[in-house]
Amino acid sequence: MQEILSTLPQVLLDGLTLGAIYAVVALGYTMVYGILELINFAHGEIFMAGAFIGTALLFGFVDIGLALNWVTLVLVLIFASLLTGVIGVGIERVAYRPLRTAPKLIPLISAVGISFILQDVVRFVAEYKTGNYIVTGQTIFENKIAIPAFSVGGYEVHASAIKSNTLIVIGIAVLIMIVLDIFVNRTKWGIAMRAVAQDRATAALMGINVNKVISLTFFIGSAIGGATGVLYAQQYATINPFIGFILGLKAFTAAVLGGIGNIRGAMFGGLLIGLLEVFAAANLGILTGGALGAEYKDVFAFIILILVLIFKPAGLFGQAVKEKV
Amino acid sequence: MKKLTSLFSNSRTFQSVLILLIVLCASTSLYLMDKSVTSFLLLLCSFLLLYYTTFSNWIKWGVGALIAFAVIPVAASGGPSQQVYMEVAVMAGIYIAMALGLNIVVGFAGLLDLGFVAFFALGAYVYGIFASPQAQALFQNSSIFPLGGESFWLFIIIGALVAALFGIILGVPVLRVKGDYLAIVTLGFGEIIRIVFNNLDKPVNITNGALGISGIPQPKLFGFTFTQSSHIYFVVLIVLGFVIYAVRRFEDSKLGRSWKAIREDEIASQAMGIPLVKTKLWAFALGASFSGMMGVLFAAKNQFVDPTSFTLLESITILVMVILGGMGSVPGVILGAAIISILNLQILTEITLFLTQNLHVPEVFSPAKMQRLLFGLVLVGIAIYRPQGLIPAKNKTYKIADLKAKLTQKKGKSKETTTSI
C-alpha cells in the first residue's frame, strides 16, 4: 500500500497524459464508426504518420535555423494536422468510398491493407532519410517541474516531476476535445454529421451532401489524430512506424468502452484506459508479488475490451442499437 | 491466345500432352540444373493447369497426387539445393493448410480474423513445451517428460484440439456481439498471445520467454526419424491432403451451407432457423484447429519456436493468401497461398540478392523488406477491383429435376414402407 501510494502522483500524471492521447485518437475511431459503421484500421497509422510528419518538420526547422519555441510547435501542429487530414480524406476517397455498398467484410480488408501500406511507406522514408526506422526527434519543452515529496496521513508520497510538455499535451488534448464537442453539437456541419450518422439516405433527402460530410468527418478525425501524433512524439521522443498499431488497438478499446459512436464516451474511455494502463505498469509487479511485470500492461486494454463486450456491448454511455432490416 | 484457350478447353489430348510436356520439361531441368527457380515454379504451375483440365475429378486428383508424391521429390533430388526446394515446398504446404483453415472463418462464414497466427503459435508451443527438454524443467519429478518424437503424431491432434478450445473461449464472448468487433478482438488476441509467450518465463518458466524453446524433437515413426525437409515434405503432404478433403466435405455439408448463409445475410439465416452463435463458433474452432495442427508441424520441422515467428505480419500474410486466391474458394485459396508463400520465401529473396549483389542497390530498396507494402497493395487492390479473388468461389449447383426425382423416389419408398406395414 505504501509503495503504491508513494508513486501515485507520478502514476496519475503519466496516466492522464497517456489517457488524453488515447482519448483524442479514440475520437477518430468513434467518429468514423458512427458515420460509416466501419472500423478504420488505418487510423492508428494516421496517428503514427502525424508523429513522423511533425518530427520531420522539426528537423527541417532546425536545419534552416529556426528557434524551437511556442510558435514552431503551433506551426508544426497545424501543418501536421492539415497533412494528415488530407491523407485521411484521400484514404476515404480511394479505399472506402468505392466499397460503400460492398459486403461489410470488404471495406475492413481494404482498411487493413491501407494501414499496412502507410506503415511501410513511413518506414521506407524514415529508413531512407535517417538509416534507421526508429527515429528520435527534437523535443521543444524539456524542462521539468518538480513536485516535492509530502506525506498524507502517515503515508510518504515520493517526489514526482512533470515535463512541461506533459501540461501542453493535456492542455491541447482537452482543447481539441472541447472544440470538437462544440463543433459536433452546436454547428450546422455538426448537425449534418449527426444526421448522416443516424440515417444516410434520409439525410441525403434533406439536402445534405453526404459525401462531403463523410469527407469532412475523415478530415477532422485524421487531423486531430495527426496532431496527437505530434504531441506523442514530443512527449515520448522516440517513435517508430509501428507505434500506431497497438496504440490504435487501445484507442479503439477506449471508443468501445465509451460506447462506439459516442464522442464524449470516447473521451472518458481514453482517459480511463490510459490511467489503468499506467497504474498496471507501475504496480502490477507489487500487487502480484513479482509474478507479473510491466510487460503485461498491453494485455490490460485487451481484457477490458473483452469484458466490455461480454457485459456491456453497447459501452458505458452507448445505447443498444437494434439492427435495421 | 483465344484460339489456344479454346483448344485447351475442348481437346483432352491437347490438355494431357501439354501437362505431360510441362511436367517433363520442368522436372528434367530441375533435376539437371543446380538451382533453377523457374523450373520449380513451372512444375508447380502444372497443378494449376491440371485444375483447369476437363478430366474427371478422380483423374485430376490421381495425377496431382502423382506429381506431388513422386515427380517433385525425385526432380528436386538432383542437386545440392534439394533441401532448399523441399524447405520451400514444406513451408508452402503449411501455409496452404493454414490458409484453408482461415478460409473457413473468413471465406465461408464471413468473419474477419486478424489474429489467426495465435492458434498456430498455440499448436507450436504445445508440442514445443511437452516434447522438448523444456517439459523436464517444468515437471522436475516426473519421468515421462520429455515426450520424444514418437508423440508427434498424437500432438497433431492435441494441437488441433487446444487451438479449437482457445478459439471457442475467444469466440463465445465476441461472436455474440457484432461481427466487426471480431476483427479487432482477434487482432488483439494475436498480439496478446505473443506477449504472453514472450513473458511466460517467470514466475514459472513455461515458454522460456524471448529465448524460445530449442531442442524440439523431430517426428519419429517405427524408429525412423524425419530429419530432412525432404522427409517432412511427405508428412506435410499427407496432412495437407487430409485438410483439403476435410474442407471440401465441410463446404458441402449442412454446416458449410449454414456458414455461407450467415455470410450472405445474418438476419435472414437466423430467421431460417440457423443458430448463429453455434454455427459461427464451429467455423472459428475448426479454422483454429487446422492452424494449431500446422503449428505442431512447424515446431517439429524447425526444432525451435520463439515468439518472433508469430507476429501480426504472419496473420496478415495468411489473410492475404485467402483474399488473393478468392474468399470461400478452396482451389483459389490453395493458389493464393502457394503464390504468396513462394513469393515470400523464394522470389523476393532472389530479387533482393540480385539487386544488392549485382546492381549494388542500397539495402533500403530491397523488396524483401517491403512485404507490408506489397501485402497492403494486394489487399486494397483485390478489395476494390476483384473482391472475388483469382479463382472465384463456385457454389455447388443442384439440378432441380434431379432433386425432384430423388424426392419422388424417396416418397415412393416411404409410401411403400408405410403401406407394407
Side-chain angles (χ1 to χ4, degrees), chain A residues 147-170:
Chain A
I147 298 173
F150 57 94
S151 63
V152 181
Y155 286 115
E156 283 281 316
V157 175
H158 288 194
S160 51
I162 334 171
K163 277 203 260 178
S164 47
N165 199 42
T166 308
L167 296 178
I168 295 171
V169 172
I170 297 178

Side-chain angles (χ1 to χ4, degrees), chain A residues 39-294:
Chain A
I39 299 175
N40 182 10
F41 277 100
H43 191 64
E45 271 59 46
I46 285 176
F47 158 85
M48 176 273 296
F52 270 86
I53 291 170
T55 309
L57 281 173
L58 279 178
F59 276 129
F61 284 156
V62 171
D63 276 349
I64 58 171
L66 269 180
L68 299 181
N69 54 28
W70 271 107
V71 185
T72 35
L73 181 66
V74 172
L75 274 180
V76 167
L77 276 174
I78 291 174
F79 267 119
S81 53
L82 281 179
L83 259 171
T84 47
V86 171
I87 294 175
V89 172
I91 289 173
E92 192 272 330
R93 190 73 193 73
V94 174
Y96 302 152
R97 194 176 294 179
L99 303 173
R100 220 173 270 164
T101 51
K104 244 184 169 178
L105 192 62
I106 308 288
L108 276 181
I109 286 162
S110 168
V112 174
I114 287 286
S115 109
F116 258 56
I117 292 174
L118 275 178
Q119 275 180 16
D120 213 45
V121 169
V122 170
R123 179 202 59 83
F124 175 75
V125 174
E127 206 169 330
Y128 182 64
K129 285 279 180 198
T130 66
N132 189 348
Y133 63 80
I134 300 170
V135 177
T136 305
Q138 301 275 343
T139 319
I140 301 180
F141 298 100
E142 282 192 282
N143 53 317
K144 288 188 174 166
I145 302 163
I147 298 173
F150 57 94
S151 63
V152 181
Y155 286 115
E156 283 281 316
V157 175
H158 288 194
S160 51
I162 334 171
K163 277 203 260 178
S164 47
N165 199 42
T166 308
L167 296 178
I168 295 171
V169 172
I170 297 178
I172 293 179
V174 170
L175 189 72
I176 289 175
M177 292 190 256
I178 292 173
V179 171
L180 186 74
D181 200 81
I182 294 172
F183 175 82
V184 172
N185 289 318
R186 300 284 162 80
T187 64
K188 211 170 141 189
W189 279 103
I191 295 170
M193 251 158 91
R194 283 184 290 145
V196 173
Q198 213 165 53
D199 190 332
R200 208 184 299 158
T202 312
L205 287 177
M206 298 293 135
I208 294 171
N209 185 337
V210 172
N211 279 336
K212 227 180 212 169
V213 170
I214 291 176
S215 286
L216 181 76
T217 311
F218 269 85
F219 183 84
I220 295 174
S222 306
I224 61 179
T228 325
V230 176
L231 297 177
Y232 181 94
Q234 282 296 307
Q235 179 73 9
Y236 301 102
T238 310
I239 49 175
N240 71 59
F242 310 114
I243 49 171
F245 159 60
I246 199 97
L247 194 136
L249 194 67
K250 288 173 190 162
F252 180 81
T253 306
V256 174
L257 181 63
I260 195 134
N262 182 328
I263 288 176
R264 286 180 192 173
M267 298 175 192
F268 177 79
L271 287 177
L272 192 65
I273 285 192
L275 280 170
L276 269 174
E277 179 184 327
V278 174
F279 185 80
N283 300 320
L284 209 54
I286 302 167
L287 288 175
T288 58
L292 301 173

Side-chain angles (χ1 to χ4, degrees), chain B residues 84-156:
Chain B
V84 179
Y85 290 126
M86 286 289 120
E87 165 89 18
V88 171
V90 166
M91 283 316 287
I94 290 178
Y95 275 121
I96 290 173
M98 278 212 283
L100 284 171
L102 185 61
N103 183 41
I104 293 182
V105 185
V106 178
F108 292 161
L111 308 161
L112 189 56
D113 185 346
L114 295 176
F116 198 61
V117 84
F119 303 115
F120 185 57
L122 278 169
Y125 267 99
V126 163
Y127 181 63
I129 290 168
F130 289 103
S132 76
Q134 180 72 24
Q136 232 168 356
L138 201 58
F139 309 98
Q140 266 149 2
N141 43 9
S142 145
S143 58
I144 33 166
F145 294 109
L147 303 165
E150 291 89 354
S151 67
F152 169 80
W153 314 101
L154 184 65
F155 266 99
I156 287 193

Side-chain angles (χ1 to χ4, degrees), chain A residues 33 39 41 94 99 105-106 109-110 113 116-117 119-120 123-124 127 252 260 291 295-296 302 309-310 313, chain B residues 112 114 173 176-177 180-181 184-185 189 192 199 202-203 313 316 323 365 369-370 372-373 376 383-384:
Chain A
Y33 194 93
I39 299 175
F41 277 100
V94 174
L99 303 173
L105 192 62
I106 308 288
I109 286 162
S110 168
F116 258 56
I117 292 174
Q119 275 180 16
D120 213 45
R123 179 202 59 83
F124 175 75
E127 206 169 330
F252 180 81
I260 195 134
E295 312 86 71
Y296 288 97
F302 180 70
L309 288 184
I310 295 175
Chain B
L112 189 56
L114 295 176
R176 287 190 313 148
V177 288
D180 13 347
Y181 285 164
I184 208 108
V185 170
F189 180 65
I192 298 317
N199 293 304
K202 62 184 174 320
L313 186 62
I316 302 294
I323 307 291
F365 292 101
K369 276 190 169 181
M370 294 186 193
R372 282 167 188 265
L373 180 67
I384 293 177

